[in-house]
Amino acid sequence: MADILLDNLPRTWAGRPIDWDFRPMVWFNGQYLRLPEDEKGLPELARQTMRRFYRVAVPPEEEVDAFKALVEFYTAGPQEVADRPGSSRTEELALDYVTDGPAIVAAFQQAYGIDLTRARLHWWRFKALMSNLPSNGFFFFYR
C-alpha cells in the first residue's frame, strides 16, 4: 500500500499499465454487488473488469494472478470505514455507487468543486475524498 501523502499514486499495477481512474473500480463494485449469491458470473465479471482496468491484454494463464492484483488495488490506498453498514454484501447497502451516483456527483461538486462527470481522479484519491465528505452534507449517513 502506498502512502497517499508521500508517494506518487500508482499508474501501473502488477507490472502492467492500468486505468487508475475511479470509473473501472466503481463499475466493478456495482457489478460485484449485483452478482447472484452463487457468484457463478464471477469469472466473466473478472475478465470484463480486467479489460477495463489493465491497459494491456492479460494472457489467459495469468488471469487468476492479475485478478487478485486488481482486487488488491481496489482495496489498497486509503481505507473506507470498515464497520459501516453495507460493508458486507449480505448487509443492506448504506452506499451504492450506481443508485447513489447522482448524489455522489453532487456531493463532490459541492464539497470539493470536482465535477466527476469530467474529472479523471485516481481511485485511491476518490476513496479518500469519498470517505471524508463533510458530515453536514447529503452523505452524513456514509460515515
Side-chain angles (χ1 to χ4, degrees):
M1 178 168 84
D3 183 325
I4 196 166
L5 290 175
L6 301 176
D7 299 334
N8 291 327
L9 297 178
R11 303 205 180 235
T12 62
W13 196 254
R16 294 179 175 87
I18 60 171
D19 183 350
W20 43 264
D21 189 46
F22 70 95
R23 288 168 181 84
M25 296 296 102
V26 166
W27 182 87
F28 170 59
N29 176 276
Q31 297 300 307
Y32 179 74
L33 291 175
R34 286 159 178 76
L35 273 180
E37 287 298 318
D38 63 13
E39 295 190 354
K40 286 183 181 177
L42 186 57
E44 182 55 30
L45 172 60
R47 283 186 204 90
Q48 289 180 25
T49 306
M50 286 189 292
R51 282 193 294 270
R52 290 172 182 266
F53 179 66
Y54 291 114
R55 294 287 190 194
V56 295
V58 175
E61 65 274 9
E62 296 177 19
E63 284 181 346
V64 171
D65 289 336
F67 185 67
K68 286 179 185 176
L70 181 152
V71 171
E72 288 172 6
F73 179 85
Y74 175 85
T75 59
Q79 299 303 307
E80 296 179 17
V81 179
D83 59 351
R84 68 173 173 77
S87 58
S88 162
R89 284 185 64 197
T90 59
E91 298 177 33
E92 184 177 328
L93 293 175
L95 172 73
D96 181 338
Y97 291 121
V98 176
T99 58
D100 295 327
I104 293 168
V105 168
F108 269 67
Q109 187 71 50
Q110 291 170 355
Y112 307 121
I114 297 172
D115 180 353
L116 289 179
T117 65
R118 296 175 185 245
R120 284 193 40 92
L121 197 61
H122 194 283
W123 170 240
W124 296 359
R125 183 168 181 235
F126 174 84
K127 286 187 354 176
L129 293 170
M130 186 72 190
S131 61
N132 289 288
L133 280 166
S135 59
N136 61 350
F138 179 82
F139 278 92
F140 66 90
F141 65 87
Y142 182 69
R143 290 183 165 279

